[in-house]
Amino acid sequence: MFAPAQALDSLIEAATPITFFGHTHLQGGFTLGGEDDRVGVLHFKPEGENKFSPLTIEPGTTYLLNPGSIGQPRDGDTRAAFAIADVENKVVEFWRVPYDIEAVQKRMAAAGLPEPLILRLQFGR
């Protein structure tokens, strides 16, 4: 994920209160606004029996959010990462769910994908 200083321009120029981005493979994001009007960093990782971490959307705050990665997480958590946004109810749920990594690795190998991409699924890095 990029640093808060790198997120600032995108937060300031955002056309909507919530913007989703990807490519970093890391579930989380940044905020701008609220009481201190500073850039905040968000990290999500549901623990224990919880399958998701909710984020309540606060008025007057701008969000730059990454839902994560279904197949190539980079945060050490091998579970699939995604988000469900319920804008009407002002909540975004950041989910982590297990999937059959071994079966996916076999399909990746059969498709001729590079071995480092195949192996990293085991470690989430």
Side-chain angles (χ1 to χ4, degrees), residues 98-122:
Y99 67 102
D100 188 346
I101 293 171
E102 188 175 320
V104 172
Q105 287 176 313
K106 287 178 183 175
R107 289 195 309 268
M108 291 172 74
L113 293 171
E115 187 174 5
L117 289 180
I118 297 169
L119 294 176
R120 79 181 327 152
L121 293 184
Q122 292 171 241

Side-chain angles (χ1 to χ4, degrees), residues 53-77:
S53 296
L55 169 67
T56 301
I57 303 302
E58 300 293 337
T61 301
T62 303
Y63 296 85
L64 183 59
L65 303 173
N66 187 330
S69 177
I70 295 294
Q72 292 285 324
R74 301 288 197 267
D75 62 359
D77 187 335

Side-chain angles (χ1 to χ4, degrees), residues 4 6 8 13 23 30 32 36-37 44 64 71 75 77-78 83 88 96 99 102 105 116 119 124:
Q6 293 172 300
L8 183 59
E13 296 172 8
H23 194 64
F30 302 94
L32 179 65
D36 58 7
D37 204 30
F44 301 99
L64 183 59
D75 62 359
D77 187 335
T78 59
E88 269 187 39
R96 294 307 279 253
Y99 67 102
E102 188 175 320
Q105 287 176 313
L119 294 176

Side-chain angles (χ1 to χ4, degrees), residues 33-95:
E35 294 177 16
D36 58 7
D37 204 30
R38 298 171 70 185
V39 175
V41 179
L42 302 170
H43 298 282
F44 301 99
K45 197 168 184 180
E47 300 293 337
E49 297 295 315
N50 297 325
K51 291 187 178 179
F52 69 90
S53 296
L55 169 67
T56 301
I57 303 302
E58 300 293 337
T61 301
T62 303
Y63 296 85
L64 183 59
L65 303 173
N66 187 330
S69 177
I70 295 294
Q72 292 285 324
R74 301 288 197 267
D75 62 359
D77 187 335
T78 59
R79 296 176 295 172
F82 61 94
I84 299 174
D86 183 349
V87 179
E88 269 187 39
N89 291 308
K90 297 181 172 50
V91 66
V92 179
E93 297 173 348
F94 288 84
W95 285 74

